[in-house]
Amino acid sequence: MIELSYIPTQPPQLEPSTIKTENFSSYLPDFQEIKEEAFQSYDSHYVTAFPVQNTYASFTPDYGQIYTPETTIQSGQEQNRTSPPLTLAASLPPPENANSNNVDQTKIFLQTPQTQTYIATSIPEGAYTVFEEIPTDFSNSSNSNSSYAYPISLSINPPTTDMLPQPTFQTSTPDHQHSTQSSNGLPMDTKKVAEDILSELKRYSIPQSVFANKILGRSQGTLSDLLRNPKPWDKLKAGRETFRRMEQWLQQPEMKRVTELQQATRLAGSMKQQQKDLNLPRQKAKKIRRIFTDSQRRVLHNVFKTNNRPTKEHQMALAEELNLELSTVSNFFMNARRRRLSPV
DNA sequence: TCAGAGTCAATATC
DNA sequence: GATATTGACTCTGA
């Protein structure tokens, strides 16, 4: 398969005549012929058509809008459905060696995020458009049993890191600074932002680790904690920056932000697999995290219940009694105070 | 010097 | 495999 370059820019203006309808049954043994009537109300210049399990769909290029009329076949019954219009995400130039005589060289794979179904399509000669991410939202579907509501994404050869968009922090406020306002000039409802982020990540199957690393520059564990226990805005200091990044991400066009992260998710997956395949050694020694014994934990918690701020002498006595470092005991109370007494 | 805030990252849990 | 928990590190400000 040839390598396609990734160009996250405006799609070229395509003349409908440069786009062909293709029947890809040769690539898909179980391909079911698309019925024209399913798409008759749409632009007839399909870019591609393919089945996803029992579903098939067609995309029509409309320079920024994509419509995905779909037909689902379940238990012998057909249902025609139409998705909301979706925004065109990206375009790819034709590979240099693409030509009409050798279309097999220009296969592109569309796949569901579940990576259960791969759909191969060839590219017409000349300019063409592909849809990098096509999240669909059928959450309002009255038929929750429909099996076709897969977001559909494009996967070429796994993109390399330098092909991907760089982290989009888009903030002018360094980590060590913090202003008193969110991006809209008002105190931020951190709880709402956290809920929205959780909901979006779930909706688009974006792992916390990907969002945390790519958008926030933080670890998965940190993000999880922030989302589950968001501090009120007025209690935050430098931590406001992280919430600002979350808010800014939510404010971006849905297509853009989701596309970017779904791509990063795939990249993370392929890199993980590569590491696994190559059996690469760990870069640095793993730090062992202390685990309190049951009795140590019990004593520390009991003391904390009656006195969450023991004196240094008390902590030293506890450390000796439990065979722990003073710093360990001190850390325990410090962490316990902010985690167990945390407001919200 | 120390408490608190922010976070990492190991690892427990789902 | 993804998320939640948590011991400890780093930095800041009083």
Side-chain angles (χ1 to χ4, degrees), chain A residues 9-14 47 59-67 85-91 128-134 255-256 259:
Chain A
T9 55
Q10 284 294 102
Q13 291 295 299
L14 301 178
V47 170
F59 300 147
T60 63
D62 193 16
Y63 309 130
Q65 296 284 290
I66 300 167
Y67 300 87
L86 302 161
T87 304
L88 186 62
S91 65
Y128 60 86
T129 300
V130 293
F131 307 109
E132 191 181 353
E133 296 285 352
I134 306 168
M255 191 60 154
K256 178 177 182 295
T259 294

Side-chain angles (χ1 to χ4, degrees), chain A residues 179-184 186-199 211 216 223-247 250 342-344:
Chain A
S179 69
T180 56
Q181 294 173 330
S182 64
S183 58
N184 63 5
L186 298 169
M188 191 189 301
D189 184 346
T190 53
K191 195 176 171 197
K192 171 77 166 42
V193 168
E195 284 169 0
D196 289 350
I197 294 288
L198 273 170
S199 152
F211 179 79
L216 306 180
L223 173 64
S224 174
D225 192 35
L226 291 174
L227 295 181
R228 288 182 60 81
N229 308 294
K231 277 188 180 178
W233 183 251
D234 61 3
K235 296 283 191 298
L236 288 169
K237 293 182 178 175
R240 286 182 176 180
E241 185 55 33
T242 305
F243 277 96
R244 271 199 206 94
R245 290 175 185 176
M246 292 188 213
E247 188 184 51
L250 287 169
S342 165
V344 179

Side-chain angles (χ1 to χ4, degrees), chain A residues 1-22:
Chain A
M1 185 185 295
I2 60 166
E3 193 79 28
L4 299 180
S5 59
Y6 175 79
I7 303 183
T9 55
Q10 284 294 102
Q13 291 295 299
L14 301 178
E15 291 299 321
S17 60
T18 67
I19 301 170
K20 287 181 178 176
T21 300
E22 298 271 350

Side-chain angles (χ1 to χ4, degrees), chain A residues 31-49:
Chain A
F31 185 84
Q32 296 166 9
E33 191 180 342
I34 293 176
K35 295 185 176 176
E36 283 295 320
E37 58 266 30
F39 310 117
Q40 59 188 359
S41 60
Y42 296 88
D43 188 327
S44 60
H45 301 289
Y46 308 141
V47 170
T48 181

